[in-house]
Amino acid sequence: MNYFFTLKDFVDKSTNDKILDSDKVSNEFQDFLKQNFTDAQFSVLLMSAGFIPDLYGNDSSEETLYSKLVEVLVCEWAERMGFTGEYVKTKASYEDVSIKIVGGVIVCDAKSFRLGRSQKAPNVKDFLKLEDIRKWLARYENKLGGLVTYPDTHEWKDSSDAYQYCSTKDAPTVMLPYKYLALLLNFKDNYKTESLKNLWDYGKIFPEPLKKTMEGGNKKAYWNAIDKEILRITKITKEEFNDFMTCANSKIDECIHANLNLLETKKASLVANIKSEVDKLDEAFLRQSLTEFRIKSETKVIDQLIGHIYDFRL
């Protein structure tokens, strides 16, 4: 079963209302998740989470609400893990979600990105600011660290300042793709979920920050260390880990193609409509010229989005 457009359908239905109450919609969405998704189904939903529909306008109410519902997903994940999760309604200078594991607080920044964005990976400053993590953590007495969740199709190739920042022990901040949250939930009966707090034991995992210039790149070193600790905490085998990630990657690939199909279908509809309208003109030359012009101008953005997906996601 696929849930690629679960959030989109919820957003589209909700934004039809003349007055949009995002907090009310967020509560309704979490109730919807609790009532309609088993842990296994929710794990599948998480695998392909975090992709803002490319046809939503920039800074539109749809985009804003979609991002909010991704935060609700993280909150719901925390609760299903047996933790306390709360998505923060006051946005200015606050984390998206706060999670408590046996009294220790994790501040989470839940990221969402468009598949058709013009970069393989986001600018690091848009992905993580350690000063923000430190500021958010300063509000709590018992703090574990920070967490950045995101779709892993938007990640750096070999090295990045992001892996250095996320291996800095004075502000331990774990970066985890949504498929990792799915894995931790899927195997939660295999281990005591409260032991997940050890993932923020950077004194052991990252005694020193992973320099961007290190041999072999700091991306590989980061994931080697994180994966090793996750295997230890969850008590799953390397084979179980790899099998799950293969399944998750397959779901993500299906989701990308489903979104591509939406864009291509939208383009085909625009082209057919343009041709229908232009066919009504009397002069053949004008019809042809106008057809070419409108196809080029009205499908330019969609072609760019499709190109970005083919270049960076497949």
Side-chain angles (χ1 to χ4, degrees):
M1 183 67 179
N2 296 321
Y3 307 106
F4 303 146
F5 302 118
T6 298
L7 274 70
K8 179 182 181 300
D9 291 343
F10 209 91
V11 168
D12 292 347
K13 179 186 70 175
S14 300
T15 50
N16 283 333
D17 296 336
K18 292 182 179 180
I19 300 176
L20 178 62
D21 185 336
S22 60
D23 290 336
K24 179 183 177 184
V25 174
S26 297
N27 291 334
E28 291 173 347
F29 182 61
Q30 188 162 16
D31 289 341
F32 167 78
L33 294 174
K34 293 182 185 301
Q35 295 167 12
N36 293 281
F37 285 79
T38 64
D39 282 352
Q41 292 169 325
F42 186 71
S43 179
V44 174
L45 174 61
L46 279 173
M47 289 177 183
S48 57
F51 298 134
I52 299 171
D54 285 292
L55 292 175
Y56 285 169
N58 290 324
D59 300 320
S60 63
S61 58
E62 291 87 357
E63 180 187 64
T64 301
L65 181 58
Y66 193 96
S67 299
K68 183 68 176 179
L69 296 192
V70 172
E71 297 167 17
V72 175
L73 285 181
V74 176
C75 182
E76 178 65 14
W77 169 82
E79 293 185 4
R80 288 176 184 246
M81 291 291 291
F83 311 145
T84 300
E86 180 181 2
Y87 48 90
V88 179
K89 297 179 181 179
T90 304
K91 298 303 294 181
S93 301
Y94 277 81
E95 66 272 16
D96 292 330
V97 180
S98 63
I99 300 170
K100 289 184 180 179
I101 304 180
V102 289
V105 176
I106 296 164
V107 293
C108 176
D109 192 357
K111 297 294 187 182
S112 303
F113 300 117
R114 296 170 183 265
L115 281 167
R117 66 180 292 145
S118 61
Q119 298 168 295
K120 167 66 176 174
N123 293 324
V124 175
K125 63 181 178 60
D126 296 328
F127 183 80
L128 172 66
K129 296 184 179 73
L130 277 184
E131 285 308 312
D132 285 345
I133 298 292
R134 293 186 179 101
K135 180 171 59 179
W136 298 342
L137 288 172
R139 297 189 176 102
Y140 302 97
E141 290 185 9
N142 300 316
K143 41 194 172 257
L144 286 175
L147 173 65
V148 183
T149 58
Y150 62 101
D152 79 335
T153 50
H154 296 66
E155 196 168 331
W156 300 267
K157 185 177 180 180
D158 297 309
S159 288
S160 169
D161 288 328
Y163 305 110
Q164 180 170 329
Y165 298 158
C166 287
S167 58
T168 301
K169 61 186 177 182
D170 74 300
T173 302
V174 180
M175 49 186 286
L176 289 180
Y178 291 108
K179 67 181 183 182
Y180 272 72
L181 301 190
L183 176 133
L184 294 169
L185 177 64
N186 186 73
F187 290 102
K188 74 173 186 178
D189 293 335
N190 208 53
Y191 64 104
K192 293 182 178 179
T193 57
E194 63 204 45
S195 63
L196 196 61
K197 66 182 181 181
N198 294 321
L199 204 55
W200 281 264
D201 185 3
Y202 272 27
K204 180 182 73 173
I205 302 173
F206 298 115
E208 298 295 333
L210 302 174
K211 299 294 185 182
K212 183 178 178 180
T213 55
M214 70 185 296
E215 185 177 354
N218 60 359
K219 176 180 180 178
K220 182 178 180 180
Y222 177 85
W223 286 115
N224 283 343
I226 290 293
D227 289 351
K228 179 180 179 181
E229 187 63 17
I230 286 177
L231 290 176
R232 189 191 69 79
I233 291 171
T234 60
K235 302 177 182 178
I236 62 175
T237 65
K238 185 68 173 177
E239 183 180 14
E240 288 174 313
F241 178 91
N242 289 337
D243 286 347
F244 184 90
M245 288 305 175
T246 297
C247 176
N249 291 337
S250 177
K251 288 292 184 185
I252 292 169
D253 191 61
E254 285 182 54
C255 181
I256 292 171
H257 281 89
N259 278 276
L260 261 176
N261 185 61
L262 275 185
L263 291 173
E264 289 167 343
T265 299
K266 178 66 174 177
K267 177 182 175 180
S269 176
L270 285 170
V271 170
N273 185 59
I274 291 168
K275 288 182 176 180
S276 176
E277 292 181 6
V278 172
D279 280 344
K280 298 174 184 178
L281 299 177
D282 294 330
E283 298 294 333
F285 174 79
L286 289 176
R287 288 201 300 269
Q288 179 63 26
S289 298
L290 186 56
T291 298
E292 293 174 357
F293 171 78
R294 289 192 62 184
I295 288 174
K296 182 177 180 179
S297 63
E298 295 183 33
T299 66
K300 179 181 178 181
V301 173
I302 292 178
D303 278 338
Q304 289 174 342
L305 296 172
I306 290 172
H308 294 159
I309 292 174
Y310 276 118
D311 289 343
F312 302 130
R313 314 301 172 211
L314 294 175

